[in-house]
Amino acid sequence: MSTTNHGDYFIPEPSKWPLVGTIALTTTVIGAVNTIHSMNEGGSMSILLPIGLLLIAYLFFGWFGAVIDESMGGKYNQQVDRSFRIGMLWFIFSEVMFFAAFFGALFYARVFALSWLGGGGNNEMTGELLWPGFEAVWPILTNPDNAVFTGPEKAMGAMGLPAINTAILLLSSVTVTIAHHGLRQNHRKPLIIWLAITVALGAVFLTLQVVEYVHAYRDMGLTMDSGIYGSTFFLLTGFHGAHVTLGTTMLLVMLIRAIKGHFTADNHFAFEAVAWYWHFVDVVWLGLFIFVYWL
Amino acid sequence: MSAVIEEHHDHHDHKPTGIGRWLFSTNHKDIGTMYLWFSFIMFFVGGSMALVIRAELFQPGLQLVEPEFFNQMTTLHGLIMVFGVIMPAFVGLANWMVPMMIGAPDMALPRMNNWSFWLLPGAFGLLIASLIMSLMGMGSAPNFGWTFYAPLSTKYGPASTDFFIFSVHMMGISSIMGAINIIATIMNMRAPGMTYMKMPIFVWTWFITAYLLIAVMPVLAGAVTMMLTDRNFGTSFFDAAGGGDPVMFQHIFWFFGHPEVYIMILPSFGIISEIVPTFARKKIFGYSSMVYATASIAFLSFIVWAHHMFTTGMPVAGELFFMYATMLIAIPTGVKVFNWVSTMWKGSMTFETPMLFAIAFIFLFTIGGFTGLMLCIAPADFQYHDTYFVVAHFHYVLVTGAAFGIMAGVYYWIPKWTGNMYDETLGKWHFWLTTISANVLFFPMHFVGLAGMPRRIPDYSIQFAEFNAMATVGAFVFGFTQLIFLYNVIKTARGRTGVKATDQVWEGSHGLEWTLPSPAPFHSFTTPPQVK
Ligand SMILES: [Cu+2]
């Protein structure tokens, strides 16, 4: 692989990865839709889905691998570093807006839809004629049409597992910062130890989330089908969980790269990007803890 | 390493060849060209759908297509024109022009740039595949209108809706990456001395547009994700039986949708702001007020979304808030129109094709703006809502606005891209036929709309017949006129016009992009220019 010199600028050579990415994503989504459709009719998974997912994995290994090689080869200058930083920051902002859509749905359902279904505002007849007997309380345990969407037996409390998970994630934000301090002083040992602890905390968080989901489905009747409370609960916590999974995976990759000695005190943007991402996931969780579990 | 660098340095303008040049590109010009051609092809695809719609509406009664297919046509026409034509054309223009205008060698993140492009053929492949399957009698393509309101798109959507959902996801990923790239390029790749307040207005408008994209495309992704789970996984976001609300869909959709209309117009504002000073041979009037006006429009676009929902039902305080907030947008928009007119005032003007399109833009977009003001008055909107008046309004804004801006930009910059002047006579034919036919096509829609003709219906009451026949004639003239444009572009690209472009191209043009040779070299500025 060679790099054309453009004066002071770095411009990568032609690359196959964008095309691989397109093929991978297109295959994955066709596979996903076919799987959904066939499973709705009691069928099985479409073969395209695992193929697409494997292609995505190949894409990440290949593309990031190429970037790592270039970075380690000293091809990047300050300007490239700044471009990466700007890119990562605005990517995180786009993620914030993605979660904003779901938080928006939660607030709208709780503040407006709930009261209107119960006859609030000038919607007295909505309550009286369409959904008689519906009580506008959150969390909704009895849905407007409880035969179609059967409400949960009880709501998920904030104390217990969610509180423990809050502590775990907050702690993990601290440990990743300590690891970063170690890295900045070129102390590899604290870097590796604290990073490993962060990964472990992420894994524990995810395990506890699984425990919580099993509990919700098995013991509480709280499912995706149990009305707007279940819908917002599972999509918000589910997407957050997916982000924690991604974040933990990335932290794990950073741990492996740290062990391999990829990072130096002044050249470790990949680590920083993952740390930013991890803090973002943490902040989203605080929103979830307050508005989904607690209030 | 260093040997490799030396070797390449001698002939660093070498281009990759063959199909690989396009498939694996990291070059802002090649990627820009692909975006523009993609948009052009989609323009004819979406345009043919419009002609199916207009042919059916030529006479009252049902003659050519089934109502069911008519719905698919309106849906896909809207989706393709918005996501497949206007937006990719703007990204293509940004790819070509932003690095040249700010004195950069390329975009900041060239590989991601290429991925942004190649996701589009994937996304639209899915969408168009659903239409092909529909034509072969296998299910229906999306048929719920480009706004895909729940429950039409959830409970009652055809099976292809799930493909549509993922197609929107891919378009969203493409747009977000494209926007991030443009922001990184503008923040990080400007030549020394190119301060923010020296940037060309086109760069400024795209800078602000990119923020809009990053802010709202993820919200659209959230909306279609909720659709997906409502359709397939038992959630009840948009189903009142489970405590959700179909009206909530409209709120989320239009929180995306209104900024989206500015995403589709701000870059055109930028193009017009480049062209008018060149052909008036004056500096732009009120540069900084242009920048602030653009920023204000972008800000306001986040707090006006429910003006699309006045008849859906919301508390009166909400109706009033969204009505007044919408009216406010007229102020920065008026500032812009005023500045363009003032730039022309006492200028030494000539009327080449780009300038003609720019002037037509100023007139016709302003008509679209005024009908927008009429629509934003909540009590009046109760009458106008979902009529052809709305259709007339947004086609004035999007066709004679956004699309005219793009056409103006293509004529303005194609000499720089290809090194050849386009055919001015053909350009003028294209302009006059397009402008006249667009008005024959869209102006009567105001009248039938005010008289109550509903949109998205394949049949209509007999008293609307004359105006509809007129609109259909306009539509076919408009559609076939675009072949002149296509021919002119190909002729210019192949150098068959016989006139070479100078570096400056236009007598009155200023800016870094005009200091580069025509055609522009493969890598724009390999050493940063100094901007004084
Ligand atoms: Cu709007």
Side-chain angles (χ1 to χ4, degrees), chain A residues 65-83:
Chain A
V67 172
I68 290 169
D69 285 344
E70 285 165 8
S71 171
M72 305 277 292
K75 290 181 185 170
Y76 291 165
N77 54 24
Q78 291 268 307
Q79 192 172 39
V80 175
D81 189 65
R82 274 200 307 276
S83 288

PDB file of all heavy atoms in Angstrom, chain A residues 65-83:
ATOM      1  N   GLY A  65      -8.472  -2.044  10.215  1.00  0.00           N
ATOM      2  CA  GLY A  65      -7.114  -2.573  10.104  1.00  0.00           C
ATOM      3  C   GLY A  65      -6.256  -1.692   9.210  1.00  0.00           C
ATOM      4  O   GLY A  65      -5.114  -1.357   9.546  1.00  0.00           O
ATOM      5  N   ALA A  66      -6.828  -1.286   8.081  1.00  0.00           N
ATOM      6  CA  ALA A  66      -6.079  -0.427   7.161  1.00  0.00           C
ATOM      7  C   ALA A  66      -5.738   0.903   7.827  1.00  0.00           C
ATOM      8  O   ALA A  66      -4.612   1.407   7.699  1.00  0.00           O
ATOM      9  CB  ALA A  66      -6.895  -0.201   5.888  1.00  0.00           C
ATOM     10  N   VAL A  67      -6.721   1.444   8.563  1.00  0.00           N
ATOM     11  CA  VAL A  67      -6.479   2.733   9.221  1.00  0.00           C
ATOM     12  C   VAL A  67      -5.398   2.590  10.281  1.00  0.00           C
ATOM     13  O   VAL A  67      -4.517   3.446  10.421  1.00  0.00           O
ATOM     14  CB  VAL A  67      -7.793   3.272   9.827  1.00  0.00           C
ATOM     15  CG1 VAL A  67      -7.521   4.499  10.684  1.00  0.00           C
ATOM     16  CG2 VAL A  67      -8.776   3.609   8.715  1.00  0.00           C
ATOM     17  N   ILE A  68      -5.464   1.464  11.028  1.00  0.00           N
ATOM     18  CA  ILE A  68      -4.454   1.253  12.067  1.00  0.00           C
ATOM     19  C   ILE A  68      -3.067   1.167  11.435  1.00  0.00           C
ATOM     20  O   ILE A  68      -2.105   1.785  11.907  1.00  0.00           O
ATOM     21  CB  ILE A  68      -4.782  -0.023  12.884  1.00  0.00           C
ATOM     22  CG1 ILE A  68      -6.034   0.220  13.734  1.00  0.00           C
ATOM     23  CG2 ILE A  68      -3.602  -0.419  13.769  1.00  0.00           C
ATOM     24  CD1 ILE A  68      -6.596  -1.028  14.366  1.00  0.00           C
ATOM     25  N   ASP A  69      -2.985   0.411  10.316  1.00  0.00           N
ATOM     26  CA  ASP A  69      -1.685   0.299   9.643  1.00  0.00           C
ATOM     27  C   ASP A  69      -1.154   1.667   9.223  1.00  0.00           C
ATOM     28  O   ASP A  69       0.020   1.977   9.410  1.00  0.00           O
ATOM     29  CB  ASP A  69      -1.812  -0.599   8.400  1.00  0.00           C
ATOM     30  CG  ASP A  69      -1.905  -2.056   8.789  1.00  0.00           C
ATOM     31  OD1 ASP A  69      -1.571  -2.362   9.949  1.00  0.00           O
ATOM     32  OD2 ASP A  69      -2.329  -2.873   7.950  1.00  0.00           O
ATOM     33  N   GLU A  70      -2.047   2.465   8.646  1.00  0.00           N
ATOM     34  CA  GLU A  70      -1.617   3.795   8.208  1.00  0.00           C
ATOM     35  C   GLU A  70      -1.169   4.638   9.384  1.00  0.00           C
ATOM     36  O   GLU A  70      -0.155   5.339   9.327  1.00  0.00           O
ATOM     37  CB  GLU A  70      -2.769   4.508   7.480  1.00  0.00           C
ATOM     38  CG  GLU A  70      -3.036   3.988   6.080  1.00  0.00           C
ATOM     39  CD  GLU A  70      -4.365   4.442   5.523  1.00  0.00           C
ATOM     40  OE1 GLU A  70      -5.016   5.296   6.166  1.00  0.00           O
ATOM     41  OE2 GLU A  70      -4.767   3.946   4.472  1.00  0.00           O
ATOM     42  N   SER A  71      -1.945   4.549  10.471  1.00  0.00           N
ATOM     43  CA  SER A  71      -1.620   5.352  11.641  1.00  0.00           C
ATOM     44  C   SER A  71      -0.273   4.934  12.223  1.00  0.00           C
ATOM     45  O   SER A  71       0.585   5.758  12.525  1.00  0.00           O
ATOM     46  CB  SER A  71      -2.724   5.203  12.682  1.00  0.00           C
ATOM     47  OG  SER A  71      -2.337   5.807  13.884  1.00  0.00           O
ATOM     48  N   MET A  72      -0.091   3.584  12.352  1.00  0.00           N
ATOM     49  CA  MET A  72       1.165   3.080  12.915  1.00  0.00           C
ATOM     50  C   MET A  72       2.328   3.362  11.978  1.00  0.00           C
ATOM     51  O   MET A  72       3.469   3.489  12.406  1.00  0.00           O
ATOM     52  CB  MET A  72       1.062   1.572  13.142  1.00  0.00           C
ATOM     53  CG  MET A  72      -0.103   1.151  13.990  1.00  0.00           C
ATOM     54  SD  MET A  72       0.222   1.277  15.729  1.00  0.00           S
ATOM     55  CE  MET A  72       1.429  -0.002  15.890  1.00  0.00           C
ATOM     56  N   GLY A  73       2.029   3.446  10.669  1.00  0.00           N
ATOM     57  CA  GLY A  73       3.071   3.735   9.692  1.00  0.00           C
ATOM     58  C   GLY A  73       3.452   5.202   9.671  1.00  0.00           C
ATOM     59  O   GLY A  73       4.241   5.617   8.829  1.00  0.00           O
ATOM     60  N   GLY A  74       2.835   5.985  10.544  1.00  0.00           N
ATOM     61  CA  GLY A  74       3.207   7.391  10.646  1.00  0.00           C
ATOM     62  C   GLY A  74       2.733   8.230   9.476  1.00  0.00           C
ATOM     63  O   GLY A  74       3.301   9.277   9.181  1.00  0.00           O
ATOM     64  N   LYS A  75       1.650   7.775   8.804  1.00  0.00           N
ATOM     65  CA  LYS A  75       1.213   8.530   7.626  1.00  0.00           C
ATOM     66  C   LYS A  75       0.297   9.681   7.977  1.00  0.00           C
ATOM     67  O   LYS A  75       0.039  10.541   7.144  1.00  0.00           O
ATOM     68  CB  LYS A  75       0.487   7.587   6.671  1.00  0.00           C
ATOM     69  CG  LYS A  75       1.426   6.602   6.035  1.00  0.00           C
ATOM     70  CD  LYS A  75       0.686   5.710   5.084  1.00  0.00           C
ATOM     71  CE  LYS A  75       1.629   4.652   4.548  1.00  0.00           C
ATOM     72  NZ  LYS A  75       0.911   3.635   3.800  1.00  0.00           N
ATOM     73  N   TYR A  76      -0.211   9.672   9.190  1.00  0.00           N
ATOM     74  CA  TYR A  76      -1.184  10.708   9.539  1.00  0.00           C
ATOM     75  C   TYR A  76      -0.480  11.904  10.151  1.00  0.00           C
ATOM     76  O   TYR A  76       0.428  11.769  10.962  1.00  0.00           O
ATOM     77  CB  TYR A  76      -2.205  10.158  10.538  1.00  0.00           C
ATOM     78  CG  TYR A  76      -3.124   9.119   9.957  1.00  0.00           C
ATOM     79  CD1 TYR A  76      -3.880   8.300  10.776  1.00  0.00           C
ATOM     80  CD2 TYR A  76      -3.244   8.965   8.576  1.00  0.00           C
ATOM     81  CE1 TYR A  76      -4.730   7.357  10.255  1.00  0.00           C
ATOM     82  CE2 TYR A  76      -4.087   8.014   8.045  1.00  0.00           C
ATOM     83  CZ  TYR A  76      -4.826   7.215   8.880  1.00  0.00           C
ATOM     84  OH  TYR A  76      -5.671   6.273   8.352  1.00  0.00           O
ATOM     85  N   ASN A  77      -0.950  13.064   9.768  1.00  0.00           N
ATOM     86  CA  ASN A  77      -0.428  14.274  10.393  1.00  0.00           C
ATOM     87  C   ASN A  77      -1.489  14.853  11.324  1.00  0.00           C
ATOM     88  O   ASN A  77      -2.553  14.275  11.516  1.00  0.00           O
ATOM     89  CB  ASN A  77       0.003  15.278   9.321  1.00  0.00           C
ATOM     90  CG  ASN A  77      -1.136  15.555   8.343  1.00  0.00           C
ATOM     91  OD1 ASN A  77      -2.303  15.379   8.697  1.00  0.00           O
ATOM     92  ND2 ASN A  77      -0.793  15.975   7.145  1.00  0.00           N
ATOM     93  N   GLN A  78      -1.184  16.001  11.871  1.00  0.00           N
ATOM     94  CA  GLN A  78      -2.105  16.662  12.807  1.00  0.00           C
ATOM     95  C   GLN A  78      -3.473  16.905  12.177  1.00  0.00           C
ATOM     96  O   GLN A  78      -4.500  16.785  12.823  1.00  0.00           O
ATOM     97  CB  GLN A  78      -1.498  18.027  13.184  1.00  0.00           C
ATOM     98  CG  GLN A  78      -0.266  17.912  14.022  1.00  0.00           C
ATOM     99  CD  GLN A  78      -0.618  17.944  15.477  1.00  0.00           C
ATOM    100  OE1 GLN A  78      -1.300  18.849  15.922  1.00  0.00           O
ATOM    101  NE2 GLN A  78      -0.176  16.955  16.214  1.00  0.00           N
ATOM    102  N   GLN A  79      -3.446  17.243  10.890  1.00  0.00           N
ATOM    103  CA  GLN A  79      -4.707  17.581  10.242  1.00  0.00           C
ATOM    104  C   GLN A  79      -5.635  16.371  10.159  1.00  0.00           C
ATOM    105  O   GLN A  79      -6.830  16.483  10.420  1.00  0.00           O
ATOM    106  CB  GLN A  79      -4.422  18.130   8.844  1.00  0.00           C
ATOM    107  CG  GLN A  79      -5.638  18.761   8.210  1.00  0.00           C
ATOM    108  CD  GLN A  79      -5.293  19.456   6.918  1.00  0.00           C
ATOM    109  OE1 GLN A  79      -4.478  18.975   6.134  1.00  0.00           O
ATOM    110  NE2 GLN A  79      -5.906  20.598   6.690  1.00  0.00           N
ATOM    111  N   VAL A  80      -5.061  15.220   9.809  1.00  0.00           N
ATOM    112  CA  VAL A  80      -5.869  14.003   9.756  1.00  0.00           C
ATOM    113  C   VAL A  80      -6.441  13.723  11.137  1.00  0.00           C
ATOM    114  O   VAL A  80      -7.625  13.390  11.286  1.00  0.00           O
ATOM    115  CB  VAL A  80      -5.020  12.819   9.261  1.00  0.00           C
ATOM    116  CG1 VAL A  80      -5.822  11.533   9.313  1.00  0.00           C
ATOM    117  CG2 VAL A  80      -4.520  13.077   7.854  1.00  0.00           C
ATOM    118  N   ASP A  81      -5.605  13.898  12.145  1.00  0.00           N
ATOM    119  CA  ASP A  81      -6.043  13.669  13.515  1.00  0.00           C
ATOM    120  C   ASP A  81      -7.243  14.560  13.847  1.00  0.00           C
ATOM    121  O   ASP A  81      -8.228  14.104  14.401  1.00  0.00           O
ATOM    122  CB  ASP A  81      -4.874  13.959  14.465  1.00  0.00           C
ATOM    123  CG  ASP A  81      -5.194  13.538  15.876  1.00  0.00           C
ATOM    124  OD1 ASP A  81      -5.364  12.325  16.094  1.00  0.00           O
ATOM    125  OD2 ASP A  81      -5.289  14.424  16.751  1.00  0.00           O
ATOM    126  N   ARG A  82      -7.158  15.814  13.448  1.00  0.00           N
ATOM    127  CA  ARG A  82      -8.277  16.735  13.715  1.00  0.00           C
ATOM    128  C   ARG A  82      -9.532  16.306  12.955  1.00  0.00           C
ATOM    129  O   ARG A  82     -10.639  16.358  13.496  1.00  0.00           O
ATOM    130  CB  ARG A  82      -7.900  18.163  13.334  1.00  0.00           C
ATOM    131  CG  ARG A  82      -7.173  18.926  14.428  1.00  0.00           C
ATOM    132  CD  ARG A  82      -7.257  20.436  14.185  1.00  0.00           C
ATOM    133  NE  ARG A  82      -6.819  20.812  12.856  1.00  0.00           N
ATOM    134  CZ  ARG A  82      -5.536  21.018  12.523  1.00  0.00           C
ATOM    135  NH1 ARG A  82      -4.585  20.871  13.422  1.00  0.00           N
ATOM    136  NH2 ARG A  82      -5.222  21.366  11.290  1.00  0.00           N
ATOM    137  N   SER A  83      -9.366  15.877  11.709  1.00  0.00           N
ATOM    138  CA  SER A  83     -10.535  15.421  10.946  1.00  0.00           C
ATOM    139  C   SER A  83     -11.220  14.259  11.664  1.00  0.00           C
ATOM    140  O   SER A  83     -12.446  14.202  11.747  1.00  0.00           O
ATOM    141  CB  SER A  83     -10.126  14.976   9.546  1.00  0.00           C
ATOM    142  OG  SER A  83      -9.780  16.087   8.763  1.00  0.00           O
TER     143      SER A  83
END
